[in-house]
Amino acid sequence: MLATFKQIWGLKTLKGKLRFYTLLLIALPFLLVTSFFFLFQREQVLGGALRQIVSSLRQEGNVMRSWMGERFDDARFLAGIDALRQGDVPAMLPLLHFYQDTHPFVSDVIYVSAQGHIAGAVSAAPGIYVGDRPYFQQARAGKPSLTSVPVGRASGQPICLFVTPIQAADGGFGGAIAIIVVLSSLDRWLLGARAAPGGEVLLCDGQGRILAPSSAVAAGGGPGRAKAPAALLEAGETGSLLRSGDGETWLGAAMPLGDDGWRLLSQVAASDVLAGYRRQSWWFLLAALCTLAVVTPLVLRLSRNLERPLLALAAYARTLRATRYREDCPLEFPKDVPIEIRELLDAFCQMADEMRGHIEETERISVMDALTGLYNRRFLFSGGTKLLDVAARAGKPFACLMIDLDHFKDVNDIHGHSAGDRVLAHLGRVLLACVRKSDLVARYGGEEFAVLLTGADAAQAAELAERIRGALAREPCRIDDVFLPVTASFGVAEAREEVEYGESPLEDMLARADKALYRAKAAGRDRVVVETRG
């Protein structure tokens, strides 16, 4: 895939690379800045909107708690009136009516006797027993309470009761006073209390039922059925990002109002918050593209001025390679070439002339070992590296033999160095007779030889080593009229991708084969040892 990409974009040529990376260098700052603007700045906008929601809800919560405290103060004030403490219903009713008339949001005021019956009220019918209601039980225990009713009997709308116990004139429990408020009376305040653009504020009870405003109650299925989203209820007073079932992102917070579980909720769609930000982002992107359109032709012109001399230099380099450095420098430098490029071209032409002389001298150096007719150590590494690279690209195995004549010092000491040279030549002939034409046989140094085997693994190399050892056993070296037995020790290794010894796979393989050779020597000589891992 990478090769296809390079071919499509022309990255295999200097011209293609220069233009591609030049354009990339131009576009990258704009891409980075645009990415920062679209990604990081987006989070900043959402975070700011969320902080605004939390701050606004905290302020509205303070207002709501103040309003609730005033209703409890009203209930305590009524509970302290003598007529209620004495249970004088005829005397208290005008007072209850007066309170209800002066507080339009109050739908009813109820006096409950100590026995749990409604004894007096503005609207409610007397005689109803409410002694089993939780709010009355709390009043009997001397505690005020706030109770929400999702569906009021009279109004059919969510209501709440601010209930306070009454202390009788004799100091005992004298019943309870309950101020009933229809929560739709909070609509105007809640609809005006926008925590964020496009987001409304909801009042919910401890069970997550929406109590106000009435528009949200109706949209949620009506009184008693309208429920706030569970994720919004869990958002907490610090707020959080929410995910709806359809994958849309929301910002929301839930501000607790007290121990009764009431909460103020608000959420707004992230898309509404980001509407203005998106318009700003598109304008920014348009400006970046316009800048890119202006700068690109200028940079391309500079790129072409650099391309021409470099392309001419590359063409000359190809010509030199094809003619083995026999071509003179034909480059003509344009006048507008930068000084650095001109110096590069001059230096290249001078180096080409010097290289031509070095090559001619190098070609005179023989790559053959004069004594054995085999390749020398120098060619072993240069030619062997090429063979190993070809085998690696083709996915073929590659192995080598390291061969050392046994007791060669004794041959020199007993029969003389001339005999030693003939033994070396004899081994070279045997090796050439046993290997393939594609294999590389070289004198490694002294009495040590190396064989590189293309397309052969360690097992196949070991088989060849045994054949060579057998051939040596069958063909002793003839020195004048004496047939001198010749044996050798063999170390076998196979090429690996990882390099443990030396700096290249070839050096590593030869080193491992040499270690195997020394093990063969230590084990008694005249044998083949295959290098193993570990």
Side-chain angles (χ1 to χ4, degrees):
M1 182 175 292
L2 181 61
T4 304
F5 175 81
K6 289 183 176 181
Q7 183 176 1
I8 293 175
W9 290 95
L11 296 182
K12 293 185 177 181
T13 64
L14 175 64
K15 178 180 179 180
K17 284 186 177 181
L18 188 58
R19 293 194 176 185
F20 176 81
Y21 288 112
T22 301
L23 290 175
L24 184 62
L25 198 61
I26 297 172
L28 192 57
F30 292 101
L31 292 176
L32 291 176
V33 173
T34 305
S35 300
F36 172 83
F37 195 81
F38 275 92
L39 299 178
F40 179 77
Q41 192 65 21
R42 177 181 182 275
E43 298 302 321
Q44 294 294 316
V45 172
L46 292 178
L50 186 59
R51 288 190 294 272
Q52 179 184 350
I53 291 174
V54 171
S55 176
S56 299
L57 271 189
R58 187 172 289 115
Q59 294 177 9
E60 300 302 336
N62 291 335
V63 174
M64 186 65 185
R65 279 188 286 269
S66 176
W67 179 83
M68 293 165 62
E70 291 175 358
R71 302 292 75 75
F72 276 116
D73 290 341
D74 291 347
R76 282 191 292 269
F77 172 78
L78 293 175
I81 297 176
D82 289 339
L84 273 76
R85 296 185 65 191
Q86 296 171 3
D88 186 354
V89 176
M92 73 174 68
L93 285 178
L95 299 174
L96 300 183
H97 279 278
F98 177 77
Y99 176 81
Q100 194 272 342
D101 291 340
T102 56
H103 295 78
F105 53 83
V106 175
S107 64
D108 203 351
V109 184
I110 298 174
Y111 163 68
V112 182
S113 68
Q115 291 73 35
H117 293 88
I118 296 179
V122 174
S123 303
I128 299 176
Y129 180 72
V130 295
D132 56 347
R133 304 293 172 84
Y135 62 81
F136 184 79
Q137 298 297 326
Q138 289 193 27
R140 185 183 292 278
K143 299 178 182 179
S145 62
L146 172 62
T147 301
S148 61
V149 179
V151 184
R153 293 180 179 178
S155 65
Q157 296 293 323
I159 63 173
C160 68
L161 290 78
F162 295 88
V163 182
T164 298
I166 300 173
Q167 185 179 15
D170 59 2
F173 177 63
I177 187 74
I179 298 176
I180 301 176
V181 177
V182 177
L183 292 173
S184 59
S185 62
L186 300 176
D187 282 2
R188 183 175 180 181
W189 168 66
L190 289 174
L191 293 175
R194 297 286 180 176
E200 62 179 347
V201 178
L202 308 177
L203 176 64
C204 294
D205 62 12
Q207 286 73 45
R209 293 173 296 202
I210 300 176
L211 302 177
S214 55
S215 58
V217 173
R225 292 187 296 273
K227 287 273 191 176
L232 179 58
L233 293 171
E234 297 174 359
E237 58 184 296
T238 58
S240 64
L241 292 177
L242 314 173
R243 288 280 184 182
S244 61
D246 56 2
E248 187 174 358
T249 302
W250 295 77
L251 291 80
M255 190 65 58
L257 298 175
D259 297 336
D260 45 46
W262 280 27
R263 282 168 283 187
L264 284 181
L265 310 177
S266 182
Q267 68 175 4
V268 62
S271 57
D272 294 338
V273 174
L274 296 173
Y277 155 78
R278 287 198 181 93
R279 287 193 296 271
Q280 185 181 7
S281 300
W282 284 116
W283 279 111
F284 179 84
L285 182 60
L286 180 61
L289 292 176
C290 292
T291 304
L292 188 63
V294 172
V295 173
T296 299
L298 300 177
V299 176
L300 288 178
R301 180 178 179 181
L302 174 62
S303 175
R304 284 192 293 270
N305 289 338
L306 297 177
E307 286 171 13
R308 294 190 187 100
L310 293 178
L311 290 174
L313 183 62
Y316 176 46
R318 289 192 295 269
T319 303
L320 287 177
R321 184 172 57 186
T323 60
R324 298 188 62 80
Y325 290 86
R326 293 185 176 89
E327 185 74 17
D328 293 330
C329 184
L331 298 179
E332 295 181 2
F333 308 138
K335 295 181 180 180
D336 57 347
V337 171
I339 296 176
E340 294 82 0
I341 299 295
R342 182 179 295 275
E343 291 177 352
L344 173 64
L345 299 177
D346 289 336
F348 185 84
C349 288
Q350 183 179 353
M351 286 189 295
D353 292 337
E354 294 177 358
M355 185 63 68
R356 186 181 305 112
H358 290 312
I359 289 177
E360 292 173 354
E361 181 180 355
T362 301
E363 288 177 346
R364 292 192 296 268
I365 300 175
S366 175
V367 297
M368 307 299 293
D369 178 64
L371 178 63
T372 61
L374 304 178
Y375 288 112
N376 57 21
R377 180 189 179 101
R378 179 179 181 180
F379 188 80
L380 172 68
F381 283 96
S382 61
T385 299
K386 294 178 182 178
L387 290 177
L388 184 55
D389 290 342
V390 171
R393 287 196 297 270
K396 295 181 178 180
F398 199 89
C400 76
L401 307 179
M402 288 296 288
I403 307 165
D404 189 81
L405 285 169
D406 296 332
H407 306 294
F408 183 71
K409 185 176 183 300
D410 294 342
V411 174
N412 283 330
D413 293 343
I414 297 172
H415 302 281
H417 288 282
S418 176
D421 291 344
R422 296 178 69 176
V423 169
L424 293 173
H426 173 72
L427 177 57
R429 290 191 295 271
V430 172
L431 291 176
L432 289 176
C434 292
V435 302
R436 303 166 301 179
K437 291 183 179 180
S438 59
D439 299 330
L440 191 155
V441 185
R443 184 180 178 187
Y444 195 73
E447 68 272 22
E448 196 169 4
F449 295 78
V451 181
L452 302 183
L453 307 171
T454 302
D457 56 21
Q460 294 169 326
E463 291 179 5
L464 174 61
E466 290 292 352
R467 288 200 300 272
I468 296 172
R469 196 172 69 86
L472 288 174
R474 292 189 300 271
E475 301 176 22
C477 178
R478 182 175 181 176
I479 301 176
D480 297 329
D481 294 331
V482 177
F483 288 90
L484 185 65
V486 178
T487 64
S489 299
F490 297 80
V492 180
E494 187 174 348
R496 299 176 185 169
E497 291 184 4
E498 66 275 10
V499 175
E500 183 178 0
Y501 304 102
E503 298 181 355
S504 67
L506 179 61
E507 292 180 12
D508 176 70
M509 180 178 61
L510 291 172
R512 289 185 283 106
D514 200 46
K515 285 182 175 292
L517 170 61
Y518 278 105
R519 289 201 296 272
K521 290 282 190 182
R525 296 182 172 84
D526 191 19
R527 63 192 63 228
V528 176
V529 173
V530 179
E531 183 265 347
T532 58
R533 291 180 180 268

